[in-house]
Amino acid sequence: MAVINFPTGSAQIPPDSLDVIRKSGEAIKWVPPGARVEISGHTDNTGDTASNLTLSQARADAIKGALVSAGVPSDMLTTKGYGDMKPRATNDTEFGRYQNRRIEYAVVR
């Protein structure tokens, strides 16, 4: 649906992502009954593994809170922090690290 990127070391939702969250919330409401949406948090490889796992979980939890505030039922959502274990791009460039600081949505049963 959408990707939201975070500043390095932060779980604060960027203000320019609030419209994306609102639109994502509207789409999530169409998920079939009984299915859930996993909000996965990701980081770049800056910092140590344990800190990145904690940060990625905080990012996922922040998005869940924003979606619930936008009217998505809490029981439709689950969160998981993956740290830097699932990079989307190389961590060798600033642009690659930017792409890796994100959350993603996936429908799970």
Side-chain angles (χ1 to χ4, degrees), residues 9-28:
S10 174
Q12 184 169 350
I13 299 170
D16 63 351
S17 296
L18 296 177
D19 192 49
V20 171
I21 291 171
R22 184 187 56 74
K23 289 176 183 175
S24 297
E26 290 302 316
I28 289 169

Side-chain angles (χ1 to χ4, degrees), residues 63-101:
I63 296 298
K64 179 180 179 179
L67 287 168
V68 169
S69 292
V72 177
S74 179
D75 62 353
M76 289 183 70
L77 304 171
T78 184
T79 61
K80 173 79 174 159
Y82 290 95
D84 60 6
M85 295 184 290
K86 294 185 174 190
R88 165 173 283 191
T90 180
N91 279 298
D92 295 335
T93 67
E94 179 54 39
F95 184 65
R97 289 186 296 275
Y98 169 81
Q99 292 178 35
N100 292 332
R101 295 187 303 266

Side-chain angles (χ1 to χ4, degrees), residues 42-49 52-53 82-87 91:
H42 302 271
T43 66
D44 60 27
N45 68 349
T46 304
D48 63 67
T49 300
N52 284 339
L53 282 172
Y82 290 95
D84 60 6
M85 295 184 290
K86 294 185 174 190
N91 279 298

Side-chain angles (χ1 to χ4, degrees), residues 23-59:
K23 289 176 183 175
S24 297
E26 290 302 316
I28 289 169
K29 291 175 188 176
W30 288 94
V31 170
R36 296 179 64 149
V37 173
E38 179 184 274
I39 304 162
S40 59
H42 302 271
T43 66
D44 60 27
N45 68 349
T46 304
D48 63 67
T49 300
S51 295
N52 284 339
L53 282 172
T54 300
L55 177 59
S56 64
Q57 184 65 50
R59 288 175 175 172

